[in-house]
Amino acid sequence: AQTVTQSQPEMSVQEAETVTLSCTYDTSESDYYLFWYKQPPSRQMILVIRQEAYKQQNATENRFSVNFQKAAKSFSLKISDSQLGDAAMYFCAYRSVIQGAQKLVFGQGTRLTINP
Amino acid sequence: ETGVTQTPRHLVMGMTNKKSLKCEQHLGHNAMYWYKQSAKKPLELMFVYNFKEQTENNSVPSRFSPECPNSSHLFLHLHTLQPEDSALYLCASSQRSGGPQMEQYFGPGTRLTVT
């Protein structure tokens, strides 16, 4: 079974600076999807960025980018130019590409605080 | 943020009560999910429905009973709950077909407290 581990329960960063959230996972599959989700306080969880394991190029979405190290099974999220609205719980998640697979396996989450 | 709605947003119930959580999606999706989010634990998938048919039950106790009358609505019927069932219950929806575009869209959740 796949597992996802986020070793940083809490992180904080000064506004406008850069922060990196860590995620490692364990799987025996060679192809899969990885995701970062953001859950602001009392608001809905939304997808921040996704990475397909067969793609070597790291995904980027505006100020959000990932460092995908397949051999190390590492998938970190970098947030550049942090903004107050980035404060949230961030969850790393894994999904298999097996036909019909729908289950998302989540990490424990990292609470990110932005200091003004 | 109105693509997936959940009601009620907050619920307090005693262990002998019966209550239901409701989820509705307005995205034209054909798959719906229930997740449980407890403090300091990863989100746990509870149930998956595809085209109104339950396709996954992640060893959930029978005191949780899901119902999916159509592809847009999903219910979670609760009875004889335990205090450890207190959690945030999240509903999500997606397209059934595979691929990275099969993104799950989440509702705001129902904060359940069992007393």
Side-chain angles (χ1 to χ4, degrees), chain B residues 19-89:
Chain B
K19 296 286 185 182
S20 296
L21 310 185
K22 179 183 176 182
C23 175
E24 184 173 0
Q25 59 94 2
H26 311 273
L27 301 169
H29 291 159
N30 42 43
M32 296 188 78
Y33 313 75
W34 279 118
Y35 286 88
K36 176 183 179 182
Q37 185 177 15
S38 305
K40 302 188 188 302
K41 291 179 66 176
L43 276 80
E44 304 170 64
L45 180 65
M46 300 174 72
F47 302 103
V48 180
Y49 276 81
N50 291 293
F51 298 100
K52 304 186 300 179
E53 299 297 322
Q54 187 182 125
T55 54
E56 185 157 351
N57 177 336
N58 201 24
S59 302
V60 181
S62 59
R63 58 185 182 271
F64 295 90
S65 176
E67 178 189 2
C68 189
N70 54 60
S71 293
S72 299
H73 294 85
L74 184 64
F75 296 88
L76 188 62
H77 304 299
L78 316 171
H79 63 96
T80 324
L81 293 192
Q82 305 298 311
E84 59 265 28
D85 297 323
S86 298
L88 182 68
Y89 288 85

Side-chain angles (χ1 to χ4, degrees), chain A residues 92-103:
Chain A
C92 179
Y94 172 105
R95 183 164 66 82
S96 173
V97 301
I98 292 173
Q99 181 67 25
Q102 294 171 275
K103 181 177 180 178

Side-chain angles (χ1 to χ4, degrees), chain A residues 38-46 87-89 91 111, chain B residues 1 6 9-10 37 88 90 106-111:
Chain A
K38 170 185 178 182
Q39 187 179 38
S42 301
R43 293 179 62 188
Q44 281 156 279
M45 184 143 55
I46 58 173
M89 283 289 291
F91 293 95
R111 183 176 303 281
Chain B
E1 293 191 356
Q6 290 186 243
R9 295 292 303 275
H10 301 272
Q37 185 177 15
L88 182 68
L90 295 173
F106 286 82
T110 295
R111 174 69 63 186

